[in-house]
């Protein structure tokens, strides 16, 4: 089968088409014929060989990719599922050496798979699993009740956009950041208050919400300064492992997609929320798998709104 990966770590140019054996679904697994795979920031870390992403004992080639959508084509032994061969499905993928979503066929645990939302293309569906589940996990970690106020940094990004929509569905009041060109998008996603993005965002949050927000999802990696926006005893969810210095009773709580990678009910709930109009699938551009290097260049250049999708 065709896949896209690296045999030597490097920049986007290191990505190239490779041939790998077609995998078979083992016990508890499903095999998907991939039609679309999303490109995300973690993929660039796999490509460049970040030590906290690539295990020291692993060997090339390395295939990135954490979101896929396509057609279910094989069900492994012992799988209890109502999914059927030939259905369009989406999956969250935890890359491990040659096992990432940038491939014509992937094998994943059955619990990592849900149906594609009705009316959505595979390219659109591939934009949802990893970032949607990360946003859901961040909100579940903060555990704020209806009527609470949450701040979101990186609100126009893939995770931040889903946080806004899911927070509104949860009955939360949302304060979000945005560059001038992104203000219409962030407001359309449902933010109640939109403030300029950047290092002054926490100070501006306090001007708008004098007592501080109840919780914050830090998609822009403000790290410790984000605490200035949060009330005493509040919570901050971080997406790159930042644990922070606790002050005023504020807790920093890193979230990792692996925590929800097998939460099939959570992924299926996201599917339902797309169908109900509560969650928006945003695709910035669709490229061929052979254009993966270009996709990584675009992502690393910044400013992409929505997901870049590779098709196989």
């Amino acid at each position: 089968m065709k896949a896209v990966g690296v045999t030597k770590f490097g920049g986007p140019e290191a990505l190239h088409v490779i041939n790998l054996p077609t995998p078979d679904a083992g016990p508890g697994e499903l095999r998907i014929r991939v039609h679309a795979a999303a490109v995300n920031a973690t993929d660039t870390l796999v490509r460049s060989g970040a030590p906290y992403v690539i295990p020291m004992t692993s060997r090339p080639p390395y295939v990135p990719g954490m979101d896929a959508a396509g057609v279910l084509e094989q069900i492994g032994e012992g799988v209890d599922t109502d999914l059927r061969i030939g259905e369009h499905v989406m999956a969250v993928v935890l890359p491990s050496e040659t096992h990432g979503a940038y491939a014509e066929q992937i094998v994943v645990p059955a619990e990592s798979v849900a149906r594609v939302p009705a009316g959505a293309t595979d390219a659109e569906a591939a934009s949802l699993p990893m970032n949607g589940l990360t946003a859901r996990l961040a909100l579940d970690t903060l555990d704020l009740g209806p009527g609470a106020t949450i701040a979101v940094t990186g609100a126009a990004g893939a995770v931040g956009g889903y946080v806004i929509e899911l927070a509104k569905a949860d009955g939360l009041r949302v304060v979000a950041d945005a560059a001038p060109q992104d203000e219409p998008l962030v407001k359309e996603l449902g933010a109640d208050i939109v403030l300029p993005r950047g290092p002054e965002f926490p100070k501006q949050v306090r001007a708008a919400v004098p007592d501080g927000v109840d919780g914050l999802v830090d998609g822009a990696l403000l790290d410790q300064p984000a605490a200035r926006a949060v009330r005493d005893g509040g919570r901050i969810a971080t997406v790159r492992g930042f644990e922070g210095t606790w002050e005023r009773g504020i807790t920093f709580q890193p979230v990792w997609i692996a925590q929800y990678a097998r939460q099939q009910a959570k992924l299926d709930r996201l599917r339902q929320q797309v169908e109900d109009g509560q969650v928006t699938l945003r695709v910035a551009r669709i490229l061929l798998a052979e254009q993966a290097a270009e996709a990584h260049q675009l992502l690393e250049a910044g400013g992409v709104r929505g997901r870049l999708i590779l098709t196989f």
Side-chain angles (χ1 to χ4, degrees):
M1 69 171 185
K2 178 174 72 176
V4 174
V6 295
T7 49
K8 292 184 178 180
F9 299 126
E13 70 284 350
L15 289 164
H16 61 280
V17 174
I18 55 179
N19 289 312
L20 295 173
T22 299
D24 284 316
E29 296 178 329
L30 303 176
R31 187 175 74 196
I32 300 169
R33 171 57 173 94
V34 176
H35 291 169
V39 178
N40 61 77
T42 303
D43 300 353
T44 68
L45 301 177
V46 173
R47 185 208 72 219
S48 61
Y52 57 92
V53 175
I54 301 296
M56 293 293 290
T57 56
S58 63
R59 297 288 183 270
Y62 305 98
V63 177
M66 300 187 71
D67 312 80
V71 173
L72 177 61
E73 65 174 19
Q74 187 181 45
I75 298 175
E77 181 182 351
V79 174
D80 182 14
T81 180
D82 63 349
L83 296 173
R84 296 292 178 260
I85 300 296
E87 283 194 273
H88 286 257
V89 295
M90 58 183 175
V92 60
V93 184
L94 298 182
S96 175
E97 301 179 30
T98 60
H99 187 76
Y102 293 9
E104 287 183 315
Q105 289 156 308
I106 59 170
V107 167
V108 292
E111 300 89 346
S112 299
V113 181
R115 289 183 176 86
V116 164
T121 66
D122 288 339
E124 290 169 336
S127 71
L128 179 63
M130 196 274 281
N131 288 133
L133 284 173
T134 299
R136 183 68 266 164
L137 173 58
L139 289 167
D140 290 350
T141 299
L142 295 180
D143 192 25
L144 304 177
T149 300
I150 186 173
V152 184
T153 70
V159 172
Y162 286 137
V163 170
I164 294 173
E165 292 188 311
L166 293 174
K168 294 304 296 180
D170 288 351
L172 304 181
R173 179 188 184 211
V174 178
V175 181
D177 70 348
Q181 65 271 24
D182 291 326
E183 285 185 17
L185 168 63
V186 173
K187 289 177 180 177
E188 182 180 348
L189 290 170
D192 298 284
I193 300 174
V194 180
L195 302 171
R197 65 174 297 177
E200 295 300 309
F201 178 70
K203 179 180 178 181
Q204 294 166 18
V205 170
R206 277 304 181 115
V209 186
D211 292 335
V213 295
D214 300 296
L216 183 146
V217 179
D218 188 19
L221 312 182
L222 294 185
D223 294 340
Q224 192 68 40
R228 290 180 288 175
V230 180
R231 65 165 173 81
D232 293 0
R235 302 185 183 101
I236 298 174
T238 65
V239 297
R240 287 289 182 89
F242 183 75
E243 297 183 344
T245 301
W246 293 13
E247 56 186 50
R248 297 186 288 111
I250 296 171
T251 59
F252 286 84
Q253 298 174 294
V255 297
W256 303 99
I257 186 58
Q259 296 171 262
Y260 270 13
R262 294 193 178 198
Q263 295 287 327
Q264 198 272 343
K266 301 283 187 183
L267 183 57
D268 196 56
R269 173 60 180 154
L270 290 173
R271 172 200 60 78
Q272 186 64 57
Q273 288 184 288
V274 171
E275 294 180 2
D276 292 344
Q278 295 178 335
V279 171
T280 305
L281 302 177
R282 295 187 291 142
V283 173
R285 184 174 170 186
I286 298 174
L287 303 95
L288 297 175
E290 291 82 359
Q291 297 174 288
E294 181 181 351
H296 277 227
Q297 290 169 350
L298 291 168
L299 184 66
E300 293 184 323
V304 175
R305 296 296 174 253
R307 306 296 301 282
L308 297 167
I309 304 294
L310 302 177
T311 57
F312 287 83

